[in-house]
Amino acid sequence: MEIIHSSRPALAILVSLIAAFLILITGERSRNLREFWTILASVVKFSVVLSMVPFILEGKVIEYTVLSISPGLSVQFRVDALGIIFGLTASFLWIITSFYSIGYVRSLKEHAQTRYFVCFAVALSATMGVAFSANMFTTFLFYEIITICTFPLVAHKETPEAIQGARKYLTYLLGTSIAFQLLAVFMTYHVAGTLDFRYEGLLNGARGNATDMLLIIIFILYMAGITKAAMMPLHGWLPAAMVAPTPVSALLHAVAVVKTGVFVVVKVVLHIFGINLLTQLGLGTALAYFACVTIVVASVIALTQDNLKRRLAYSTISQLSYVILGVALLTPSGITGSIMHITIHAFGKITLFFTAGAIYVATHKTNVSELDGIGRQMPFTMGAFTLGALSMIGVPPLGGFISKWYLALGAIEAEQLPVIIVLAASTLLNAGYFLPIVYAAFFKEPAPEHHHNPGQKSKIQEAPVLMVVPLVLTGIGAFVLFLAPTFFLDIARIALHAVVGGN
Amino acid sequence: MMMEHLPAIIIVFPLIMAFLINVAGWWSKKACFYMALLAVTVSFLASLGILNTVLQSGTISYRFGGWEPPWGIEYVIDHLNAFMLVIVSGITLPVVLYSKKSIEQELPKKIPQFYTLFTLLMMGLLGITITGDAFNLYVLLEIASITGYALIGLGDEKAPLASFNYLIIGTIGACFYLLGVGYLYIMTGSLNMADLAQRLPALYSSNAVMAAFAFFMVGIAIKMAFFPLHVWLPDAYSHAPSTVSAYVACTMTKVGAYVMIRIMFTVFEPSFSIQLHPVTTIFGWVAAAAMMYGCILAVAQNDLKRMLCYIIIAEVGYIVMGISAANRMGFTGAVLHILNDAFMMACLFLVVGAIYYKTGAKTIGEYRGLFKKMPFTSMSFAVGALSVVGVPPTCGFFSKWYLVLGTINAEQWVFAAALLASSLLSAIVFFRVLQNMFFAPAASSSHDQGSESHVQEKRHEAPGSMLIPIFVTIAGILLLGVFSGQIIEMIIQYTVPEGF
Amino acid sequence: MEFIISKYNYWMYIVLMMIGFYAMIAKRNLVKKLLGLNIFQWAIILFYVSTGVKKGATIPIIEGGHGELVHAVNAAQYLNPLPHVLMLTAIVVGVSTTGVALALIVLIYRRFGTVEEDEILEALK
């Protein structure tokens, strides 16, 4: 594998850090200038990430060492196919979210907007850091930075509930990462003497240094420590974090934060342990069953939630476990499905969160039961919602179908019948909690208390354009991913090739 | 010529300045600050010069008055001393800058006295680190302590009593140390550390030597506030003037830790401190208890300074934990943590002092919504706090990294778990404060009016002479984290005792 | 018995130390505590001084040590001066500690009108 040395990964991270600084300096004095920095940074970041794609498609790897602390311990970036998919998704969706955020905070006249945009920019920097990191140390570094700088975003409203939610958020994420993940990192270093990601698995190469029992303990510690992946029973922070403003929930809790979690799980499974080792230890299957439980239970809980954002949160929990499930199957199709699902779910879920925010801005409604007939008032928003929901369910003309297809294939390859049943059941459950919303929005009569103003009933009353356009775009994105998945599939194959070594 | 006498200058110059400051105080109070600043700057430059020499040509030995080592007083400076000298004098510089405004407000009548004592305190601390003579170390330890008692006594209403209690306990500690020196002198007839190190191995089985070691350890443990001999610290440090608490918090305990390392690994050989007796194992358990105790009691505090005092107790536990791991990683972590902790504690105490200076706030409740009033100070506090918690990329993370690796290499899983658990506890401690500072729930009542009509609260930022030292420590925290690899490579790896 | 008598100087210093220690812990009066501290310190000073003493030895001044021919010095004839010199320094340290402590006590007395620890703590509440 050819290695290119280039500072582009560092550049992609620096862009939004510099932007954060500029935003801070500009402050409230000139809002337009401040927002300009955000947009500029997001576009530049995406371009930088995009500029690395051709190399990746040629099968090369981009490396950049920032500093080495001691032998086997360094802050280093290595952009490979797996990282670039995550990087592309996150940086692309940041552009859209930036527009949406501007629309959202301005129409709600949110306070502390500067802090909001600064934290957002830093969070994106850190997300890129995780995506491009070359070793577990760098990953952990940026993983923690994400936690810290999203805390102000979750607590943004500063109401007692927001503070409470944010505290829970922090307790879960920081607590488990220090208590379990860091310990696992230490143990890995102790066993292997380095923390670099290896395609055949770091610990696989250092098997002679540790007993199986120790390896199993390390694996459990990792899985318990990467709470951002919201696997049950450590999922409690995600619904709690829904107190955040909707764009935050959208980007961070459907894309950056939670995807960082599953991305790190994928990294740990593939590059720290390696397929061989996990198969021998039988840990892949165990992880898969854990993921299955999460998928089903979270979906069932989602059915009972009336608050729209909470329902979406539980849906996220269940969808995240799809990614974990795919990679835990340890089969080529399963891994492809998981990698695809990172992107596809991002597009679908961000659309859904955007619509939830748009509904809130336009009507101040937050509960599912209040949404009767809202489709007539906000046709574009609810149209995009439908697209997103269908993609979540995995209905054919939408992206969600592709990842589910690969996941099912993976389950068959692994000869795991229960997994297939779980996939089918969760599809039904997904339909069960999304379709009633769509139905109510378009076909039910609006609730009677809104009749007092009959003239406005049939009028279209959308959220601001800055919000509607992004959500329509991401909705269409979910559709486009079905039509043209080859680009992502190619990259996923390269990533797979590195790990499996096969076709 | 000058370079040769740097080890003398670093002690003698502040000593003379301390005297002159007192004299000058009769004419001009303003001059005192500048004279103290001069003394500190000269010491800092001298210590940098010494470090440079040590890095280039190895251990320096300086004979006072030209007397031969076992009889005369010898100053021996190896990598560890030189490193400590730079830490102590380097951290004094921002503190003395900061003291100007703070002392003018808190002790307007006692400016000359303050600077006299302050310069003496620094000289005492530098002396402890530089000397190679066990008895000389006692004298300097007492100079540092006595000036410390006096400075702490200058504080608020309760300070004299706290200082008196500290004096009683501290003197007991010093007496134990002195007894240890006496026993070794009876056994070997020598006071020079290098000389002692040569003569002692033959006597390791002697009960008197063992008793001496025990006396040393108890004495030093009192001086460095090592759990359970820490009782004097919270009272003494929390009632002292802000500058004083900042200074003693970031230097006294660290210098104590240095003395512990010296006695354990230079005067006695690692083989005595580790293999012959289970000293390190015992220290490991006590250190684990110290970390837990410190953090848990910190959670229970409402007064900010007091909370930080308990954090210091936990931090001392970290350092001892690194020493007790008795391997290269752990020791590296301990020495690195001495450096990092000096900066972290300086930063936090300086910030707390600056907040007190500006708003008079002392308790967590009074910190509500402080971010709007003092954004820079609050951000600095956040950085310092994150470093104590050990969040990357601050320096606190890196020393913890080595400490945990040290315990894992020693296969002491309980200790590793204790280190991580205390990190978690300190996270709780600090996020309680940060939450109040940044997201004050009750402070903003006009929330529904939105930000447009939100009256921008006026900024009451601390004066520049306080902010700059704080920023220096912040820069230290961030840069030390990034360059910890280089520091270890250049200096710390040479400080690790042989046989690790 | 022989053991105790032959090392009586050490026993004396231990007894003195314990008296001082007791005073520091048990007495609630700050001045008495300080006195206890002093006894504690002096005990150690006595211990040092006694280590330098030898039976039948004289003060360590060599006769004819100024330029004249010196005969071989028999060290056993002289007391060991070093511990005594060290103790000069230690006494200075002890005196300054006492000085600072007394100053603190005066400060406390001015503020609270008492030097009894219990009453001060009561006043602070």
Side-chain angles (χ1 to χ4, degrees):
Chain A
M1 193 169 292
E2 200 180 329
I3 294 170
I4 300 169
H5 292 277
S6 158
S7 59
R8 279 185 208 179
L11 201 64
I13 291 159
L14 267 183
V15 165
S16 48
L17 269 189
I18 295 168
F21 185 68
L22 290 172
I23 294 167
L24 192 65
I25 287 187
T26 313
E28 291 288 329
R29 266 173 289 155
S30 163
R31 290 191 167 182
N32 288 334
L33 181 62
R34 186 185 66 195
E35 263 72 293
F36 168 73
W37 295 126
T38 304
I39 302 292
L40 182 72
S42 60
V43 173
V44 170
K45 186 195 272 286
F46 181 64
S47 330
V48 173
V49 177
L50 201 62
S51 75
M52 290 189 275
V53 172
F55 301 110
I56 305 298
L57 283 175
E58 286 168 27
K60 293 173 186 165
V61 166
I62 301 170
E63 245 184 31
Y64 183 73
T65 309
V66 182
L67 62 125
S68 48
I69 291 158
S70 68
L73 192 66
S74 58
V75 178
Q76 195 184 22
F77 298 119
R78 187 193 294 133
V79 188
D80 56 10
L82 193 55
I84 202 88
I85 289 194
F86 183 38
L88 269 180
T89 313
S91 59
F92 177 68
L93 290 177
W94 188 32
I95 305 180
I96 297 180
T97 315
S98 297
F99 284 108
Y100 181 85
S101 286
I102 295 165
Y104 183 88
V105 293
R106 288 196 177 179
S107 28
L108 286 182
K109 296 189 173 56
E110 286 282 347
H111 70 126
Q113 293 184 12
T114 308
R115 181 181 78 198
Y116 174 91
F117 283 109
V118 168
C119 291
F120 227 124
V122 178
L124 255 295
S125 273
T127 311
M128 288 302 127
V130 171
F132 297 153
S133 57
N135 53 40
M136 199 57 213
F137 177 73
T138 317
T139 306
F140 181 75
L141 204 96
F142 286 106
Y143 183 96
E144 292 292 50
I145 294 174
I146 295 181
T147 312
I148 301 294
C149 65
T150 50
F151 174 75
L153 291 175
V154 177
H156 185 81
K157 286 179 185 156
E158 295 185 6
T159 55
E161 306 90 72
I163 299 281
Q164 201 63 37
R167 194 181 285 173
K168 195 168 181 184
Y169 176 79
L170 199 72
T171 314
Y172 267 85
L173 294 189
L174 200 67
T176 53
S177 70
I178 290 179
F180 303 132
Q181 193 187 347
L182 188 57
L183 192 59
V185 172
F186 281 129
M187 288 163 110
T188 313
Y189 187 77
H190 178 60
V191 170
T194 171
L195 288 170
D196 293 343
F197 291 128
R198 300 264 163 77
Y199 288 122
E200 73 283 357
L202 174 63
L203 290 174
N204 190 26
R207 234 192 127 175
N209 299 347
T211 57
D212 284 359
M213 197 59 213
L214 187 63
L215 290 177
I216 292 172
I217 290 173
I218 295 178
F219 188 75
I220 294 171
L221 281 175
Y222 268 122
M223 290 307 132
I226 308 171
T227 324
K228 286 201 173 107
M231 233 199 316
M232 283 189 174
L234 290 170
H235 64 283
W237 62 273
L238 215 158
M242 287 302 138
V243 292
T246 312
V248 175
S249 309
L251 185 68
L252 299 181
H253 300 142
V255 187
V257 174
V258 292
K259 286 292 148 60
T260 302
V262 287
F263 181 75
V264 177
V265 169
V266 171
K267 279 275 192 190
V268 166
V269 167
L270 296 181
H271 296 168
I272 293 279
F273 280 85
I275 296 175
N276 276 338
L277 182 61
L278 284 182
T279 318
Q280 281 164 30
L281 293 173
L283 288 171
T285 322
L287 184 61
Y289 284 137
F290 248 93
C292 286
V293 171
T294 307
I295 291 174
V296 174
V297 175
S299 301
V300 172
I301 297 176
L303 274 178
T304 66
Q305 299 295 324
D306 188 38
N307 183 304
L308 181 58
K309 275 179 80 180
R310 282 184 78 85
R311 188 176 283 198
L312 292 178
Y314 278 102
S315 157
T316 306
I317 294 172
S318 110
Q319 295 282 337
L320 288 173
S321 281
Y322 275 65
V323 179
I324 299 173
L325 173 65
V327 79
L329 289 171
L330 301 173
T331 58
S333 301
I335 294 167
T336 315
S338 234
I339 295 172
M340 292 299 290
H341 202 65
I342 290 182
T343 303
I344 287 168
H345 171 247
F347 275 88
K349 195 41 72 63
I350 206 167
T351 313
L352 294 177
F353 271 114
F354 279 171
T355 51
I359 293 168
Y360 178 68
V361 168
T363 65
H364 280 270
K365 283 173 183 166
T366 54
N367 287 339
V368 173
S369 50
E370 298 167 339
L371 297 183
D372 293 352
I374 202 155
R376 297 174 207 179
Q377 192 188 331
M378 310 173 71
F380 292 108
T381 307
M382 290 319 288
F385 184 92
T386 314
L387 283 178
L390 290 178
S391 177
M392 287 294 115
I393 300 164
V395 177
L398 286 151
F401 173 73
I402 292 178
S403 48
K404 269 205 181 158
W405 171 259
Y406 276 102
L407 286 176
L409 271 184
I412 293 167
E413 278 171 9
E415 294 169 359
Q416 291 284 0
L417 190 62
V419 172
I420 299 173
I421 296 171
V422 165
L423 283 175
S426 95
T427 306
L428 284 179
L429 285 166
N430 279 343
Y433 59 76
F434 278 130
L435 291 183
I437 303 176
V438 176
Y439 173 77
F442 285 107
F443 302 111
K444 274 196 184 166
E445 282 297 312
E449 68 239 62
H450 293 285
H451 278 292
H452 64 274
N453 202 352
Q456 269 195 320
K457 194 183 77 180
S458 54
K459 254 193 194 163
I460 291 178
Q461 202 183 23
E462 277 284 7
V465 183
L466 264 178
M467 299 174 72
V468 176
V469 172
L471 67 88
V472 170
L473 276 179
T474 54
I476 293 170
F479 183 57
V480 172
L481 280 176
F482 175 78
L483 295 177
T486 30
F487 173 66
F488 281 100
L489 271 177
D490 283 346
I491 302 180
R493 275 206 196 100
I494 295 169
L496 186 68
H497 182 76
V499 179
V500 185
N503 49 346
Chain B
M1 183 60 207
M2 273 294 274
M3 291 304 280
E4 220 170 273
H5 289 289
L6 279 182
I9 288 169
I10 204 173
I11 302 302
V12 174
F13 189 75
L15 195 60
I16 296 170
M17 286 311 274
F19 176 73
L20 291 180
I21 289 169
N22 206 10
V23 175
W26 290 333
W27 287 285
S28 158
K29 283 185 177 176
K30 269 192 182 164
C32 297
F33 165 74
Y34 293 102
M35 287 169 82
L37 187 62
L38 177 69
V40 176
T41 316
V42 168
S43 298
F44 178 57
L45 292 177
S47 63
L48 280 182
I50 292 174
L51 179 68
N52 188 32
T53 320
V54 170
L55 285 182
Q56 277 167 7
S57 52
T59 307
I60 308 175
S61 122
Y62 180 86
R63 283 155 199 180
F64 250 87
W67 290 89
E68 289 289 310
W71 297 282
I73 292 170
E74 189 192 21
Y75 281 7
V76 182
I77 305 135
D78 59 10
H79 285 82
L80 183 58
N81 296 47
F83 183 59
M84 284 300 298
L85 284 176
V86 175
I87 296 178
V88 172
S89 56
I91 207 80
T92 315
L93 205 53
V95 174
V96 81
L97 269 179
Y98 173 94
S99 71
K100 188 168 184 290
K101 289 274 177 184
S102 155
I103 291 303
E104 275 169 13
Q105 190 197 41
E106 286 180 42
L107 301 166
K109 288 181 192 157
K110 300 201 169 127
I111 293 174
Q113 286 87 337
F114 172 82
Y115 283 111
T116 309
L117 289 171
F118 188 86
T119 317
L120 271 178
L121 174 57
M122 181 193 70
M123 171 254 163
L125 292 168
L126 289 173
I128 296 171
T129 38
I130 205 172
T131 187
D133 182 283
F135 185 78
N136 198 235
L137 199 153
Y138 162 75
V139 176
L140 290 159
L141 189 66
E142 280 304 79
I143 290 177
S145 302
I146 292 172
T147 47
Y149 309 141
L151 283 172
I152 288 168
L154 292 172
D156 64 9
E157 196 189 24
K158 295 176 187 171
L161 188 62
S163 171
F164 185 81
N165 286 332
Y166 174 28
L167 183 143
I168 296 279
I169 300 173
T171 309
I172 294 176
C175 285
F176 275 131
Y177 178 87
L178 188 57
L179 267 180
V181 175
Y183 274 49
L184 287 191
Y185 180 71
I186 292 175
M187 295 309 292
T188 63
S190 177
L191 293 169
N192 185 287
M193 287 185 189
D195 201 34
L196 281 170
Q198 279 186 352
R199 294 175 190 222
L200 274 175
L203 301 161
Y204 276 167
S205 51
S206 151
N207 281 335
V209 171
M210 251 186 271
F213 187 79
F215 278 132
F216 274 132
M217 286 303 127
V218 173
I220 297 163
I222 290 177
K223 286 285 181 192
M224 72 190 280
F226 183 39
F227 176 86
L229 300 170
H230 63 274
V231 280
W232 54 271
L233 189 141
D235 271 335
Y237 285 12
S238 57
H239 298 304
S242 344
T243 315
V244 177
S245 16
Y247 189 54
V248 287
C250 61
T251 50
M252 278 286 218
T253 50
K254 314 313 166 246
V255 170
Y258 158 80
V259 177
M260 180 178 250
I261 293 173
R262 265 282 170 251
I263 300 291
M264 277 177 87
F265 300 127
T266 304
V267 175
F268 290 86
E269 280 176 359
S271 66
F272 180 83
S273 326
I274 298 164
Q275 276 127 32
L276 284 182
H277 305 285
V279 180
T280 48
T281 322
I282 297 168
F283 273 14
W285 285 102
V286 181
M291 293 183 308
M292 290 295 141
Y293 173 87
C295 287
I296 290 171
L297 275 178
V299 177
Q301 301 306 319
N302 225 356
D303 184 294
L304 248 291
K305 257 192 185 178
R306 229 180 147 72
M307 187 190 95
L308 291 178
C309 289
Y310 283 102
I311 292 288
I312 296 180
I313 293 167
E315 298 291 328
V316 171
Y318 282 122
I319 297 170
V320 179
M321 178 64 88
I323 299 171
S324 78
N327 54 32
R328 184 166 274 273
M329 280 286 182
F331 192 85
T332 307
V335 176
L336 191 60
H337 202 67
I338 291 179
L339 168 68
N340 293 346
D341 195 41
F343 274 88
M344 286 163 0
M345 284 301 142
C347 165
L348 289 174
F349 270 98
L350 291 181
V351 167
V352 169
I355 291 169
Y356 177 68
Y357 176 82
K358 242 5 221 189
T359 65
K362 275 182 158 181
T363 60
I364 295 179
E366 289 168 313
Y367 273 42
R368 254 155 213 266
L370 210 62
F371 178 67
K372 295 210 173 76
K373 271 192 212 154
M374 309 173 74
F376 293 114
T377 319
S378 310
M379 284 309 291
S380 311
F381 188 86
V383 175
L386 290 180
S387 183
V388 173
V389 176
V391 176
T394 55
C395 64
F397 173 76
F398 293 90
S399 45
K400 260 183 206 177
W401 174 268
Y402 287 102
L403 289 174
V404 176
L405 276 181
T407 55
I408 289 181
N409 280 354
E411 310 219 317
Q412 297 280 14
W413 301 104
V414 180
F415 296 167
L419 279 166
L420 294 176
S422 86
S423 300
L424 280 180
L425 283 170
S426 49
I428 297 172
V429 171
F430 282 111
F431 280 104
R432 222 162 47 109
V433 183
L434 292 180
Q435 215 172 42
N436 260 344
M437 282 174 109
F438 290 91
F439 315 99
S444 53
S445 52
S446 57
H447 197 266
D448 43 343
Q449 290 169 7
S451 68
E452 250 77 13
S453 57
H454 208 76
V455 186
Q456 191 83 32
E457 267 187 84
K458 262 213 170 157
R459 281 191 185 175
H460 282 289
E461 198 44 273
S465 75
M466 292 180 128
L467 273 184
I468 291 168
I470 292 174
F471 287 154
V472 169
T473 57
I474 291 294
I477 287 174
L478 295 173
L479 291 177
L480 289 176
V482 174
F483 293 109
S484 57
Q486 276 85 332
I487 294 170
I488 290 168
E489 214 167 281
M490 267 171 62
I491 308 168
I492 296 180
Q493 62 162 326
Y494 299 108
T495 68
V496 180
E498 279 172 47
F500 271 24
Chain C
M1 201 59 202
E2 179 69 18
F3 177 67
I4 294 174
I5 291 170
S6 71
K7 303 247 165 87
Y8 72 95
N9 55 333
Y10 298 123
W11 292 107
M12 289 306 289
Y13 106 80
I14 289 172
V15 170
L16 273 176
M17 246 179 99
M18 287 304 120
I19 293 172
F21 205 58
Y22 168 78
M24 277 188 278
I25 291 168
K27 296 293 173 191
R28 308 303 291 166
N29 185 307
L30 297 184
V31 179
K32 285 181 182 165
K33 275 188 180 227
L34 181 59
L35 287 174
L37 184 70
N38 275 331
I39 297 170
F40 192 86
Q41 283 181 310
W42 288 170
I44 293 169
I45 289 170
L46 286 177
F47 154 73
Y48 262 86
V49 170
S50 72
T51 59
V53 179
K54 292 169 195 160
K55 215 169 199 174
T58 178
I59 46 167
I61 298 172
I62 300 169
E63 276 180 60
H66 291 282
E68 296 141 53
L69 261 178
V70 184
H71 305 288
V73 176
N74 186 2
Q77 286 177 354
Y78 300 101
L79 300 175
N80 183 353
L82 190 71
H84 300 184
V85 178
L86 294 183
M87 282 312 106
L88 281 179
T89 323
I91 289 168
V92 174
V93 169
V95 168
S96 28
T97 314
T98 315
V100 172
L102 284 172
L104 288 171
I105 291 176
V106 170
L107 209 59
I108 293 169
Y109 184 74
R110 280 200 196 134
R111 229 167 258 182
F112 302 101
T114 173
V115 289
E116 293 290 332
E117 205 177 6
D118 300 337
E119 293 171 23
I120 297 165
L121 291 178
E122 197 64 35
L124 280 174
K125 263 175 199 168

